[in-house]
Amino acid sequence: MEDDDRPAGTERPVAEVTERPVAEVTELPRPANAPLTGAVTDPADGGAPSTGRALVPVPDPEPGIDEPPSPRTGDVDEWGRSEHMRAIARRLYDPVYRKWFRAEWEGLEKIPSDGGALLVANHAAAIPSDAPVIMHGIETELHRPVYGLADNFFREVPVVGTLWSRLGGLPAHPDNAYRLLHDQKQLVLVFPEGTKGPAKLYGERYQLRRFGRGGFVEIAMRAGVPVIPIAVVGAEESMPTVVRVPHLASLIGVPYLPITANMLAMGPLGVVGYFPAKFKLRVLDPVHFDVPASQERYSKSRVMEESEAIRDRIQTALYDMLRHRRSVWFG
Amino acid sequence: MLVTGLGTFWGGRVAQALEQDPQVEVIVGLDTTEPTVELERTEYVRVDANYSILARIVRAAQIDTIIHTFLVVDPTQMSRRAMHEVNVIGTMNLFAAASAPASTVRNVIVKSSTMVYGCAPEDPVWFREDTPRSRTARSGVERSLEAVESYVRDFAEDNPHVNVALLRFSNVIGAEIETPLSRALELPVVPSLLGFDPRFQFVHEVDVIRSMLFVLDRNLPGVFNVAGDGLLPWSEVVRICGKRTVALPPWGTQFLTVPMAQLRLVDLPDEYLQLLRYGRGVDNSRLKDLGFRYEFTSASAVEAFIEAVRLRSTIGEGAGVYRYERDVEQFFRHSPAVVRD
């Protein structure tokens, strides 16, 4: 009779399984080599369901059902970021941040302590030193993770790609950004100049490159989050590029290949060794776009206009900061 | 109902599940090889790899539902040419039969793979059903799956009265199925690529069957990703299995994997090497939003798999391996001596 008239809401065995914590699911009372149908169709269900709708015992979505347990078993999240690795990196990087670059923030309170926001900054130094400084600064001061969007070139390099991913970097794909900002309300850092920023020569320092095609504005509009511009002074001098070797770069398959002043001064150590330039970071007022979120497309002219406006504000802030900077090394 | 690929892992399991439903009057199973699972009332028809007699069967049995499970997604199973024959030509004939005038077909379910998304460094972490792949397909499987999917789309467009569902399954793992990944995980040390630790997504074989029946039951049209929740770094997958990894050089890996395949250790074709480099995640929310509940997450699917492996290593392959005997099956199905309800 149990088979005959099953009330709609009755939990079937499968429903129980799905609601158990992950750890218990593996201890299903089912021999591993039992026929699959045993698990697919419960005998009680498959026998003679008079309703005829129970071809597969999938529970109907019930309102108020608990969120399923987190599918994570380890420390690495869906983006590849590992809080454990981040903690180690923070401990190792802290002396660099405090003693070497002596990073100093201005207007950090403009970054919200919750909710998604797209951080946008100028990009510099042959091996960009600004990304770790910004990420480290926000994580230690605001205690919330920052995900950095970058060129997917990183992903192709063994070890570096994995480390980069564990430390919170991910390929700059619009889908990734949307999910992080809109669905998960995280902080995302992006450098709209892309590789054009770090590839520029020392003589062009603090001259912002083109801000891509304004994709970052479109992402923020779609995700319904503000853009928070950050002006960074110091990165340019930490590893200035003297000349570029484009032919060798295309031969190796890297976006750019610089000869830096650090290499000339320090030899092989200069490949990774930064000069102790004083870092100053100024957070500018958040830019809100009053457009509906989650749309397929946004007006290209509006996007380019906003993108250009943000670029101008960062450029103006940089000039202002440089006017007040007395020394490259002491600020 | 018509199930293609009855002799394959999926075809047999789906037919078994369908037999439990009294509303399904007739189940016809097609394959080139005999069924490997015990079936009560499914009618097995031996066909050639590209289903040239399909139109006659569809007409004769008044088929209204086709479940197309016979798509080869494991490139180690057969040559590229044979795979093209099965996947592309087979699907083409299948749809030709289904779209013939006066065809009675109203539901089509096609089992595809998330391999159609490819695997490249510029990929998003999560592929949605409508996310295009980043690079053009080069490998045989991926190209044949692309061709198959384009036939599916054309068919759906030309036959708006037919419910067409295309299910893309992530890496399937579980108690019984054998794939290049499951074979790799059964090795004493598991291969990985030096300096890479990509994230993998798995779907348990039980959820694969359940999702097909779910879609069938509710007549859901469209494309659906089917994959367990969560992405696991390969190192963590290996750790769940209680194994260690051995790092292969990230460049020139073929020089190692080709001899390994010839020694029958493990066959890791290019698609899988690429997967060991960049991994792949697909967004499974579309099917979940329609009410489907997964029994297994990526992690618990791997756990279920390794538990089955441990059990197998203790008690052996299992005593009763089913063998199809035509005369016996004919007797049970058609002899007047058998008492039926």
Side-chain angles (χ1 to χ4, degrees):
Chain A
M1 56 179 168
E2 200 187 322
D3 298 347
D4 285 338
D5 220 347
R6 199 183 267 279
T10 312
E11 280 191 356
R12 301 178 181 121
V14 176
E16 276 178 32
V17 172
T18 41
E19 282 154 32
R20 268 194 245 160
V22 185
E24 276 179 58
V25 173
T26 55
E27 291 160 21
L28 283 177
R30 171 171 56 90
N33 61 349
L36 265 174
T37 37
V40 174
T41 338
D42 182 64
D45 261 352
S50 58
T51 53
R53 293 302 298 162
L55 187 59
V56 55
V58 175
D60 284 306
E62 291 164 50
I65 196 166
D66 287 336
E67 274 290 297
S70 163
R72 272 173 67 178
T73 53
D75 170 54
V76 178
D77 74 3
E78 59 179 273
W79 306 107
R81 183 183 187 275
S82 154
E83 186 48 43
H84 178 65
M85 294 280 283
R86 253 336 288 188
I88 294 174
R90 274 198 296 269
R91 200 170 317 139
L92 293 177
Y93 193 71
D94 206 58
V96 180
Y97 176 81
R98 281 184 209 291
K99 302 274 156 56
W100 195 257
F101 290 136
R102 293 148 290 141
E104 214 173 274
W105 285 81
E106 197 182 316
L108 200 57
E109 71 285 347
K110 289 172 189 161
I111 298 174
S113 54
D114 59 279
L118 185 62
L119 312 174
V120 166
N122 56 315
H123 206 20
I127 298 175
S129 49
D130 38 19
V133 167
I134 294 173
M135 288 167 85
H136 182 88
I138 293 172
E139 290 198 357
T140 48
E141 307 280 345
L142 295 174
H143 306 290
R144 57 179 301 195
V146 181
Y147 291 87
L149 298 184
D151 192 82
N152 48 52
F153 161 73
F154 279 105
R155 256 187 111 183
E156 300 174 42
V157 189
V159 184
V160 175
T162 307
L163 272 178
W164 171 67
S165 167
R166 293 293 172 272
L167 296 179
L170 54 142
H173 191 288
D175 283 4
N176 289 346
Y178 178 79
R179 209 174 162 108
L180 273 167
L181 290 166
H182 181 266
D183 300 353
Q184 304 181 353
K185 316 232 175 301
Q186 299 283 5
L187 289 181
V188 174
L189 171 66
V190 71
F191 298 101
E193 291 170 274
T195 53
K196 297 188 295 302
K200 64 184 184 287
L201 298 175
Y202 187 62
E204 303 159 323
R205 61 189 181 278
Y206 299 114
Q207 302 292 318
L208 287 182
R209 309 282 102 176
R210 179 165 58 84
F211 265 21
R213 285 168 283 174
F216 76 100
V217 171
E218 208 166 333
I219 284 167
M221 284 177 167
R222 191 170 295 134
V225 297
V227 165
I228 304 179
I230 302 174
V232 186
V233 166
E236 297 275 15
E237 288 86 0
S238 68
M239 195 180 271
T241 301
V242 183
V243 278
R244 278 188 302 251
V245 197
H247 295 296
L248 196 56
S250 62
L251 202 68
I252 310 178
V254 293
Y256 58 93
L257 192 80
I259 303 288
T260 61
N262 307 51
M263 294 180 194
L264 301 178
M266 301 188 247
L269 194 68
V271 175
V272 287
Y274 290 110
F275 292 136
K278 167 84 177 171
F279 260 70
K280 281 198 170 175
L281 303 100
R282 184 184 287 178
V283 184
L284 310 179
D285 288 330
V287 183
H288 294 269
F289 310 103
D290 52 346
V291 290
S294 303
Q295 280 189 329
E296 194 65 25
R297 254 199 298 277
Y298 291 90
S299 148
K300 204 73 202 164
S301 59
R302 171 84 199 276
V303 166
M304 289 312 290
E305 201 177 292
E306 296 282 2
S307 161
E308 200 50 38
I310 290 167
R311 183 177 174 275
D312 276 350
R313 286 184 49 204
I314 297 180
Q315 186 71 76
T316 313
L318 282 175
Y319 288 155
D320 184 57
M321 289 161 86
L322 291 172
R323 263 198 293 277
H324 293 94
R325 182 169 75 163
R326 289 189 188 145
S327 151
V328 169
W329 316 112
F330 303 106
Chain B
M1 280 204 191
L2 182 82
V3 178
T4 69
L6 192 67
T8 64
F9 184 86
W10 299 119
R13 297 298 186 292
V14 171
Q16 266 184 341
L18 288 175
E19 283 186 342
Q20 306 290 324
D21 184 15
Q23 287 215 319
V24 179
E25 286 167 33
V26 183
I27 307 165
V28 180
L30 305 182
D31 208 325
T32 52
T33 55
E34 288 163 348
T36 49
V37 292
E38 198 167 345
L39 294 163
E40 273 170 35
R41 59 194 183 93
T42 303
E43 301 281 349
Y44 162 61
V45 184
R46 182 192 293 273
V47 292
D48 52 354
N50 51 31
Y51 303 134
S52 40
I53 60 160
L54 197 77
R56 276 172 64 197
I57 298 174
V58 169
R59 212 167 33 242
Q62 296 280 298
I63 299 290
D64 65 353
T65 303
I66 297 178
I67 304 176
H68 189 31
T69 69
F70 197 23
L71 284 177
V72 182
V73 296
D74 176 356
T76 61
Q77 272 180 12
M78 53 178 74
S79 72
R80 195 169 166 147
R81 186 175 290 267
M83 193 166 61
H84 176 82
E85 202 70 13
V86 168
N87 286 0
V88 181
I89 308 299
T91 308
M92 202 178 73
N93 283 336
L94 182 87
F95 282 129
S99 57
S103 153
T104 46
V105 175
R106 290 295 169 270
N107 287 299
V108 176
I109 295 182
V110 182
K111 169 191 165 295
S112 179
S113 159
T114 54
M115 273 181 161
V116 294
Y117 295 116
C119 182
E122 53 269 29
D123 283 348
V125 174
W126 301 100
F127 276 104
R128 280 178 291 113
E129 283 83 353
D130 48 4
T131 316
R133 54 179 296 151
S134 311
R135 295 185 180 179
T136 33
R138 280 193 311 193
S139 78
V141 191
E142 292 179 8
R143 280 171 61 174
S144 76
L145 285 177
E146 272 197 331
V148 166
E149 292 211 350
S150 79
Y151 289 139
V152 176
R153 268 192 300 277
D154 289 351
F155 176 78
E157 210 166 284
D158 296 345
N159 299 274
H161 59 285
V162 180
N163 249 322
V164 183
L166 179 69
L167 300 178
R168 292 181 183 146
F169 294 102
S170 165
N171 305 308
V172 186
I173 204 162
E176 290 178 69
I177 191 168
E178 253 196 78
T179 65
L181 285 183
S182 79
R183 282 190 290 268
L185 286 170
E186 282 192 52
L187 293 173
V189 283
V190 182
S192 70
L193 291 184
L194 184 72
F196 288 97
D197 192 12
R199 277 149 300 135
F200 275 71
Q201 198 173 19
F202 292 97
V203 59
H204 194 278
E205 52 197 37
V206 167
D207 282 329
V208 171
I209 307 283
R210 287 174 70 243
S211 68
M212 281 201 255
L213 299 178
F214 178 83
V215 167
L216 183 66
D217 191 27
R218 310 201 174 197
N219 296 330
L220 299 173
V223 186
F224 302 99
N225 289 333
V226 183
D229 287 334
L231 286 176
L232 299 171
W234 183 242
S235 59
E236 203 169 311
V237 173
V238 175
R239 198 159 55 237
I240 291 175
C241 295
K243 303 270 171 82
R244 286 176 163 279
T245 53
V246 54
L248 306 178
W251 295 289
T253 324
Q254 303 88 293
F255 297 110
L256 274 173
T257 52
V258 171
M260 266 161 60
Q262 268 157 8
L263 290 171
R264 301 193 173 258
L265 275 174
V266 66
D267 193 354
L268 288 172
D270 285 350
E271 295 87 351
Y272 285 89
L273 288 181
Q274 198 70 357
L275 213 54
L276 283 175
R277 202 174 278 258
Y278 303 121
R280 186 194 302 123
V282 298
D283 186 341
N284 61 7
S285 58
R286 186 181 280 184
L287 200 58
K288 279 206 297 200
D289 290 346
L290 291 166
F292 185 71
R293 293 279 172 273
Y294 287 89
E295 264 188 55
F296 292 86
T297 61
S298 287
S300 63
V302 176
E303 279 164 5
F305 155 76
I306 200 65
E307 281 166 19
V309 171
R310 288 194 201 115
L311 183 67
R312 246 198 325 264
S313 69
T314 314
I315 62 160
E317 275 299 328
V321 175
Y322 173 77
R323 284 238 348 249
Y324 181 86
E325 299 283 353
R326 172 162 288 261
D327 296 341
V328 176
E329 299 295 332
Q330 289 302 324
F331 169 75
F332 280 117
R333 282 175 177 72
H334 303 296
S335 167
V338 176
V339 182
R340 300 186 185 84
D341 318 318

